[in-house]
Amino acid sequence: MPKKNIYLILLSLGTALWGISFSVTKLAVQESSLYIFLFYRFSLATVILCACFYKYFKETSSESLLGGVKLALPLTAGIMLQTLGLKYLPASQCTFIAGICVVMVPVLKWGVYKMSVSAKIWIASLVALAGLCIISVSDTFTINQGAIYTILGTFGFSMYLILVEKQATKGNIITTVVPMFAACTVLSLCFAVTEPAGSWVPANNNFWMAVIYCAVFTTAFMYTVSMMAQKYIPAERVAIIYLFEPVFGAIAAFFILNEDLSWRLFIGGGLILAATFVAELNIKNMGFRKGIRTNKIS
């Protein structure tokens, strides 16, 4: 089986794991410090990855170290902001808002790297924006601060996807995995120490179960697979594979957190899913995809 197809399967599996992680994380940070939670999550993931990729240490160069740090900045910001959003917003809503990265990636490529974007992507962006407004804006026309945090986190994650694609063209992406998560650990530690009231050893089983689940499945496994996959799959296609993450996330929130699936979630989430389908239907002919093959990001 071609490597591209193998990574497509692994990414699809990871999408389900990722969707479930929103509910698992919400249980962990409801009564505990999210920064301490992220510190443990990244620390354990780094240890696991060191054990898995130790043979690549001798291939790690200063460029790999620097590349890992550069990737860690938007990734840490994205995860941190989305986790913060979970404190104020239902997990089911967070998963759908996070889904707008599908249309955000190509739009950011257009804005940052001047790559052309087809009309369908702009239409998809408007449809996704409409869905986002239905989910995020209340009857009194106010926006929950959790929605703002999640949107900003999605922006950070979208930038991370684009930078991973850029880094993958420079050499062996595996050598940047451990430095990236080590940098994420340090960054989260810097925030964790600013919370003097936070408990470093919470007496909460949900906290430790979430640390293990997120470190193993959604951090060490999923982010490594997504990074390696982008050597064979463009960033916007990777984002589209994440299409069903909100679906798994909403189902998990219903069963794990007993969250109500409101009409806003169904209509707004449906529009966001429709927007991603619009992007997927046109992906083989989109101008920005063509640009990826002809224009190297510098």
Side-chain angles (χ1 to χ4, degrees):
M1 182 182 294
K3 286 187 177 181
K4 178 180 178 180
N5 292 341
I6 293 174
Y7 283 118
L8 285 172
I9 294 172
L10 292 175
L11 285 173
S12 299
L13 171 62
T15 297
L17 297 173
W18 231 335
I20 296 170
S21 72
F22 280 83
S23 295
V24 173
T25 300
K26 188 173 181 67
L27 286 174
V29 301
Q30 279 180 333
E31 299 177 0
S32 304
S33 166
L34 71 92
Y35 302 119
I36 293 176
F37 168 77
L38 291 177
F39 168 70
Y40 284 128
R41 170 182 172 174
F42 288 131
S43 298
L44 179 56
T46 302
V47 171
I48 293 171
L49 291 169
C50 282
C52 293
F53 299 128
Y54 68 92
K55 65 179 181 179
Y56 292 99
F57 286 172
K58 60 182 180 182
E59 299 178 23
T60 303
S61 63
S62 58
E63 185 176 1
S64 297
L65 293 173
L66 182 60
V69 173
K70 288 181 178 179
L71 292 174
L73 294 174
L75 178 59
T76 304
I79 293 178
M80 196 171 287
L81 287 166
Q82 286 189 350
T83 305
L84 188 58
L86 281 170
K87 275 186 167 287
Y88 304 96
L89 203 66
S92 54
Q93 292 186 28
C94 283
T95 57
F96 276 101
I97 295 174
I100 64 173
C101 75
V102 173
V103 291
M104 191 177 286
V105 166
V107 171
L108 284 174
K109 280 190 171 185
W110 169 79
V112 177
Y113 298 113
K114 308 303 179 185
M115 291 182 174
S116 60
V117 177
S118 72
K120 279 196 174 184
I121 286 298
W122 292 114
I123 294 173
S125 298
L126 292 175
V127 173
L129 181 62
L132 183 63
C133 289
I134 291 174
I135 290 177
S136 306
V137 180
S138 68
D139 294 333
T140 57
F141 295 98
T142 57
I143 300 178
N144 185 299
Q145 62 178 318
I148 296 175
Y149 289 135
T150 307
I151 292 169
L152 292 175
T154 304
F155 174 83
F157 183 68
S158 298
M159 285 301 302
Y160 160 78
L161 286 176
I162 294 172
L163 291 177
V164 167
E165 183 177 81
K166 176 183 175 182
Q167 185 67 32
T169 63
K170 295 182 177 180
N172 191 349
I173 191 71
I174 296 179
T175 59
T176 66
V177 173
V178 173
M180 182 184 73
F181 283 114
C184 289
T185 301
V186 174
L187 290 170
S188 57
L189 177 61
C190 292
F191 282 90
V193 296
T194 63
E195 288 193 317
S199 173
W200 286 87
V201 188
N204 181 350
N205 289 334
N206 289 331
F207 179 91
W208 298 110
M209 289 176 62
V211 166
I212 295 172
Y213 178 90
C214 291
V216 176
F217 297 110
T218 65
T219 306
F221 169 76
M222 189 53 182
Y223 281 104
T224 302
V225 168
S226 67
M227 287 178 70
M228 295 171 66
Q230 284 188 239
K231 187 174 182 180
Y232 308 94
I233 309 170
E236 58 273 11
R237 173 58 68 90
V238 172
I240 288 170
I241 294 171
Y242 300 154
L243 167 64
F244 291 102
E245 178 187 341
V247 177
F248 287 112
I251 294 172
F254 178 78
F255 285 104
I256 297 175
L257 302 175
N258 295 318
E259 290 186 1
D260 293 328
L261 303 182
S262 66
W263 68 267
R264 285 181 176 274
L265 185 67
F266 278 111
I267 296 177
L271 287 174
I272 291 174
L273 286 175
T276 56
F277 273 120
V278 168
E280 167 67 5
L281 288 173
N282 197 44
I283 192 167
K284 292 183 178 179
N285 300 310
M286 283 192 294
F288 68 84
R289 177 179 170 87
K290 187 176 181 180
I292 292 173
R293 298 190 181 278
T294 58
N295 299 310
K296 287 187 177 180
I297 303 173
S298 58

